[in-house]
Amino acid sequence: MFFNSIDFAVFLPIVFILYWFTFNQNIKTQNVLVLIASYIFYGWWDWRFLSLIVFSTLVDYTLGILLGTEVKETKRKIYLWISIIINLGFLGFFKYYNFFIESFVDAFTFFGQDVRVTSLKIVLPAGISFYTFQTLSYTIDVYKRNLDPTKKFIAFAAFISFFPQLVAGPIERASNLLPQILKKRKLNYEQSIDGLRLMLWGLFKKVVIADSLSPIVNDIFENYSTHSSPVLIMGAVFFAFQIYGDFSGYSDIAIGTSKLFGIELMSNFKFPYLSRNIAEFWRRWHISLSTWFRDYLYIPLGGSRGSKIKGIRNIFVIFLVSGFWHGANWTFIFWGLFHAVLFLPSFLCGTNRKYINNNVNSSFSFLKIVSNIYNTLLTFILVTVGWVFFRSATITDSFTYLKIIFTKFSFEHYTHPNGYRLIDYFILLLFFMIYEYIIRNNERNPIGFKNEYVRLFVYILLVFLMLLFYDDGVDRSFIYSQF
């Protein structure tokens, strides 16, 4: 079930009414409804994979209790490793089995050996990378004694399967989400209105930005060898906005939906295309994943402490694992490596913490304005080059795509696959970025203008644009649900 489907438009009001007006007697009954609703939400896609979530929930609930009661460190480490092996084992099998088999065969073929290994037709469970990392964070935190294990199974199961962020995040920490599930929640009008605003903004980004750019991006990347440099540049830029609109739109809807149920999720995007260097970009893009890797991999490896060599090693490990997390394809691994190389100069020069507050403040200094514009454009260009690897089918396609950009300079009249005017999309993206700059320091409430007439105007405009750009022939699934 997708957020932008008719099914969800029917599902959400029913759950909301039951949650606040029927199952509101106590916390347990509310959590029972959350759990049932979450399993229906996920099972709507394929009910067979509910067994994975249930099994993972049972394993980590049990191991959490054992970790909380065991005093011997040796046994506690065994319990932790059981959790890690089981969770990553499922993730590795469903997501990476065929990748490793094919890479194994290719490696022997390269050396002239004919190896025959049968691959399997494995269906990737939606969102498995997200809920696997979420449940892992619980057992790791309990092992580190940063979190007390819960004995309330229903609440724990609701935490693991909480439907707004089950399929594509944000990847929540137990320390933030679980306490909210364990305490009594009351209907808050202002919180609900903020949630609806955020959902509207997320739907706009998905329907108007991501979905409307999808046919152009697909056409250009699938037929890149027939196009000239300007068209390929347009395709790369449009994909940058497509994936941003798609993923940040999903996160906004997830956070907004959670607000309707009295639960606050962490921010996952903070206007990343306003970043002034790569380090700032990664503090603004997919925040729940980047902070997960920081806390559970980068810091345990030693972080930036110690020698520069170890720091560089840790950076490459983090970005390579991040690339591998995104998918079983060498293009994702190379994308991670590319960002590690981009991040390295900031780390070596000590500028990786330069824009730590994540705020894009106005400045009346002309030189400062020019510097910010230059740094922002340069960062966007570098990130967009990286998106070429992310979007391409193979590494060869990626490099050929970039080669054509730098070698095939010619004017080409490109026509939208559905015959629409391209100028409309350029104008749309220009005003989209202007609006994001206006609301740059308030990602949690992007339509929260004080003037009610301004808010009403924005509501009407967003709805009008969604109706105008809506295309029933476009694949409306979310890109990140496949991860």
Side-chain angles (χ1 to χ4, degrees), residues 42 45-53 94 123-125 131:
Y42 192 79
W45 168 70
D46 193 327
W47 62 269
R48 294 172 299 174
F49 290 110
L50 279 173
S51 59
L52 290 178
I53 298 178
F94 282 99
V123 178
L124 180 65
Y131 66 74

Side-chain angles (χ1 to χ4, degrees), residues 10-42:
V10 175
F11 169 82
L12 182 60
I14 293 174
V15 177
F16 179 84
I17 292 170
L18 291 174
Y19 182 85
W20 289 118
F21 303 106
T22 303
F23 286 73
N24 61 338
Q25 295 90 347
N26 54 58
I27 304 169
K28 187 173 183 178
T29 55
Q30 281 190 325
N31 289 338
V32 167
L33 177 64
V34 168
L35 183 60
I36 294 171
S38 298
Y39 284 171
I40 292 173
F41 178 86
Y42 192 79

Side-chain angles (χ1 to χ4, degrees), residues 196-202 435 439 442 444-451 454-456 458-459 462:
L196 290 172
R197 290 172 184 161
L198 202 52
M199 291 175 68
L200 177 61
W201 179 239
Y435 185 81
I439 60 171
N442 193 14
R444 303 285 294 192
N445 198 356
I447 320 176
F449 298 103
K450 293 182 179 179
N451 189 297
V454 174
R455 288 201 305 270
L456 180 61
V458 175
Y459 297 153
L462 294 182

Side-chain angles (χ1 to χ4, degrees), residues 16 20 162 187-188 190-196 198 254-265 444:
F16 179 84
W20 289 118
F162 187 50
L187 180 60
N188 185 304
E190 289 299 329
Q191 185 183 37
S192 298
I193 293 299
D194 288 344
L196 290 172
L198 202 52
I255 296 169
T257 302
S258 299
K259 285 176 177 286
L260 296 179
F261 297 93
I263 291 176
E264 294 287 340
L265 301 181
R444 303 285 294 192

Side-chain angles (χ1 to χ4, degrees), residues 247-440:
F247 194 19
S248 69
Y250 184 100
S251 295
D252 288 342
I253 300 170
I255 296 169
T257 302
S258 299
K259 285 176 177 286
L260 296 179
F261 297 93
I263 291 176
E264 294 287 340
L265 301 181
M266 69 180 297
S267 294
N268 210 21
F269 290 86
K270 293 186 177 181
F271 312 111
Y273 291 154
L274 297 177
S275 303
R276 289 151 289 186
N277 63 25
I278 294 297
E280 186 184 14
F281 173 80
W282 279 106
R283 283 194 293 273
R284 293 173 172 273
W285 179 275
H286 203 173
I287 300 167
S288 63
L289 179 66
S290 58
T291 55
W292 198 101
F293 279 127
R294 179 197 66 195
D295 295 342
Y296 297 109
L297 188 57
Y298 182 71
I299 292 177
L301 284 173
S304 57
R305 303 186 303 275
S307 66
K308 285 287 185 182
I309 297 297
K310 287 185 177 179
I312 293 171
R313 178 204 65 183
N314 295 341
I315 287 170
F316 274 87
V317 169
I318 289 296
F319 280 105
L320 286 173
V321 172
S322 176
F324 196 49
W325 177 91
H326 279 84
N329 194 318
W330 286 105
T331 55
F332 296 116
I333 296 174
F334 195 90
W335 171 78
L337 177 64
F338 178 76
H339 271 275
V341 173
L342 294 182
F343 189 90
L344 207 55
S346 293
F347 174 75
L348 294 174
C349 297
T351 59
N352 55 308
R353 311 290 290 177
K354 185 175 181 181
Y355 305 110
I356 192 66
N357 62 3
N358 268 340
N359 287 328
V360 183
N361 297 315
S362 299
S363 173
F364 293 101
S365 166
F366 177 76
L367 291 178
K368 189 69 174 178
I369 292 173
V370 172
S371 175
N372 281 339
I373 293 174
Y374 171 78
N375 290 331
T376 301
L377 287 175
L378 177 61
T379 301
F380 177 76
I381 290 170
L382 293 174
V383 168
T384 302
V385 171
W387 287 134
V388 172
F389 294 101
F390 194 95
R391 177 60 179 77
S392 298
T394 66
I395 293 289
T396 302
D397 289 331
S398 306
F399 281 107
T400 307
Y401 191 106
L402 293 172
K403 179 183 177 182
I404 294 174
I405 286 180
F406 290 105
T407 59
K408 195 175 179 181
F409 299 101
S410 62
F411 175 78
E412 176 188 346
H413 178 72
Y414 178 81
T415 304
H416 189 288
N418 297 330
Y420 304 139
R421 299 190 315 169
L422 287 178
I423 188 64
D424 295 337
Y425 296 89
F426 287 106
I427 294 173
L428 171 67
L429 294 180
L430 174 63
F431 280 96
F432 174 65
M433 287 306 297
I434 291 173
Y435 185 81
E436 286 228 319
Y437 182 79
I438 293 172
I439 60 171
R440 62 193 178 279

